[in-house]
Amino acid sequence: METETTTARPWGLPWWAAILLPLATTAAGAYVDLTVNHGLGLPFQAAYAGGCLLSVLLVRRRNLFGPMVQPPLILLFAASPMALLLNGGNGSLGSQLGSQFVNQALTFGMPLVNNFVLQAGVTIATVVIGLIRLIITRRRPAATAPEPSEPEPAAA
């Protein structure tokens, strides 16, 4: 006879860790890439994609929807502020346009525009992986024993 423990914990990351994982990896990748390469290139893109994909792979099944749709938000809340902080809003573009606000807006928006294709690809990948996980791990109803059929009457 099989016994079930009532203290079994669900496998995977809780919802808050599934948000922090890609946020931290993306911010760290943006910081490293902006300080070393002075732009958002391959190290940032690898950290962003890796964090988002790990999040959807490691989260608990019941918390899967958030990591499936969070890649655009991660890019917005991690890469853009990091670019704004490290560039400080200073640059030649602001002096050409004559407006500090325009310079800061462009500095904030450039990571979103330049990485749109990456963002779309990562979002599609996380949705597909999440749907596959939902399909594979869905609960199937317990198999019921087939009812015995009535014997057929003998032909005369």
Side-chain angles (χ1 to χ4, degrees):
M1 182 167 123
E2 294 181 26
T3 60
E4 290 186 39
T5 59
T6 56
T7 59
R9 298 185 71 135
W11 177 87
L13 296 175
W15 65 269
W16 53 268
I19 294 171
L20 289 179
L21 174 68
L23 195 61
T25 58
T26 303
Y31 176 78
V32 168
D33 211 9
L34 285 170
T35 55
V36 173
N37 299 328
H38 304 292
L40 294 177
L42 190 60
F44 159 74
Q45 293 171 349
Y48 169 67
C52 290
L53 292 175
L54 276 175
S55 177
V56 80
L57 286 171
L58 298 177
V59 72
R60 293 177 185 161
R61 184 185 191 278
R62 66 179 175 182
N63 301 328
L64 196 53
F65 180 73
M68 286 171 60
V69 297
Q70 77 182 357
L73 296 173
I74 296 297
L75 190 63
L76 175 69
F77 290 119
S80 295
M82 192 63 68
L84 189 62
L85 287 173
L86 292 180
N87 286 338
N90 299 326
S92 61
L93 187 59
S95 60
Q96 292 174 356
L97 295 175
S99 171
Q100 188 68 20
F101 176 74
V102 172
N103 185 26
Q104 288 179 346
L106 288 173
T107 301
F108 190 84
M110 288 306 285
L112 301 174
V113 173
N114 290 340
N115 292 300
F116 179 77
V117 174
L118 173 71
Q119 171 192 331
V122 170
T123 303
I124 290 169
T126 57
V127 168
V128 167
I129 290 170
L131 288 174
I132 290 170
R133 274 195 64 196
L134 284 173
I135 291 169
I136 289 174
T137 60
R138 73 174 177 244
R139 293 185 182 171
R140 294 178 180 89
T144 58
E147 295 180 18
S149 59
E150 296 180 21
E152 296 182 23

